[in-house]
Amino acid sequence: MRMHRILVQLLFVFFCALAPTRATTLERMSLEQLARRADVVARVTCLASASQWERGQIWTRTEFEVAETFKGLLPRYVSVRLPGGRVG
C-alpha cells in the first residue's frame, strides 16, 4: 500500500512538471494506466522544497533523490519546478 501511494505521488509530480500551466484537462486514469503512459516511474525521497518569487509569480522547486527506478532512466537526483506555493 505504501509503495502504491509513493508511485501515485511520483506520477502526479512528473505529470504536473510536464503539463501546460495555462489550461489543463485531466483524464481520470488508474495507476496501471498512468504507469503505462509514463516515461519514468520511480520511488523517490524528497530532500528539500522551497518557494520563491520569480517575475511576479511564486514557483516551488522540490529536490528528490531517486531510490529505485521501475521504468525509464533518471539521474540520482531530480529537481521539479512547479508554479505556486507559499513564500514566507
Side-chain angles (χ1 to χ4, degrees):
M1 186 66 174
R2 178 173 154 80
M3 178 66 101
H4 173 79
R5 187 179 63 148
I6 291 169
L7 288 172
V8 169
Q9 290 171 345
L10 180 64
L11 287 169
F12 178 76
V13 168
F14 281 114
F15 175 77
C16 288
L18 299 175
T21 57
R22 295 188 198 283
T24 302
T25 301
L26 298 177
E27 178 182 346
R28 189 173 296 266
M29 293 188 282
S30 69
L31 177 61
E32 292 77 19
Q33 291 170 317
L34 286 169
R36 269 197 304 274
R37 289 191 181 182
D39 294 327
V40 177
V41 178
R43 183 171 59 90
V44 299
T45 301
C46 181
L47 301 175
S49 184
S51 300
Q52 65 183 30
W53 286 98
E54 294 180 24
R55 291 184 234 127
Q57 295 181 326
I58 298 175
W59 287 85
T60 300
R61 181 176 303 279
T62 307
E63 305 291 329
F64 298 95
E65 180 176 13
V66 177
E68 186 176 5
T69 303
F70 302 102
K71 179 180 177 183
L73 297 172
L74 284 174
R76 182 170 180 189
Y77 298 98
V78 177
S79 178
V80 177
R81 182 177 171 263
L82 296 170
R86 187 177 291 198
V87 176

